[in-house]
């Protein structure tokens, strides 16, 4: 399977989870920013990095932790393993 297609599919799966929880989501195209998905709720925000198979590396994790955002923002990492119905979730 094409790794880029697999990653995009998992990003869409993460977006679907957030949208069912009541968030309006947008996906960052081409992995140009530190976050893949930005979700806006009625009174909070979600920033999500979606990964396939592995957690982010040390440098990327440090960048995500240091990212400055409002206090009502959750910073999440979704890790999708093969054949998994729901992601492993880590909050930063």
């Amino acid at each position: 399977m094409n790794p880029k297609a697999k990653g995009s599919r998992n990003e869409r799966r993460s977006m679907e989870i957030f949208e069912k929880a009541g968030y309006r989501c947008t996906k960052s195209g081409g992995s140009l920013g530190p976050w893949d998905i930005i979700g806006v709720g009625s009174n909070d925000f979600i920033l999500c990095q979606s990964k396939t198979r592995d957690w982010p590396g040390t440098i990327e994790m440090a960048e995500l932790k240091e990212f400055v955002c409002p206090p009502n923002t959750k910073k999440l990492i979704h890790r999708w393993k093969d054949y998994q119905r729901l992601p492993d979730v880590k909050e930063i």
Side-chain angles (χ1 to χ4, degrees):
M1 167 168 269
N2 178 349
K4 183 173 169 130
K6 189 175 188 179
S8 292
R9 184 186 72 228
N10 287 333
E11 288 173 0
R12 286 191 301 272
R13 290 171 70 191
S14 291
M15 281 180 61
E16 193 175 295
I17 290 170
F18 295 136
E19 288 172 347
K20 286 181 180 177
Y23 290 89
R24 297 288 306 235
C25 297
T26 186
K27 186 168 95 82
S28 174
S31 294
L32 297 176
W35 302 100
D36 293 328
I37 300 167
I38 299 171
V40 179
S42 58
N43 53 1
D44 65 336
F45 302 95
I46 288 180
L47 300 174
C48 181
Q49 177 62 252
S50 179
K51 291 293 186 184
T52 300
R53 205 183 50 145
D54 297 325
W55 293 107
T58 308
I59 295 170
E60 185 178 11
M61 187 65 89
E63 181 183 351
L64 297 175
K65 285 181 181 178
E66 293 171 3
F67 189 84
V68 179
C69 57
N72 62 340
T73 304
K74 294 179 194 171
K75 298 191 282 187
L76 303 173
I77 300 172
H78 277 192
R79 178 182 69 172
W80 291 93
K81 291 184 179 177
D82 290 342
Y83 310 108
Q84 196 172 12
R85 299 187 90 201
L86 293 172
D88 298 327
V89 180
K90 188 183 285 187
E91 187 168 355
I92 302 175

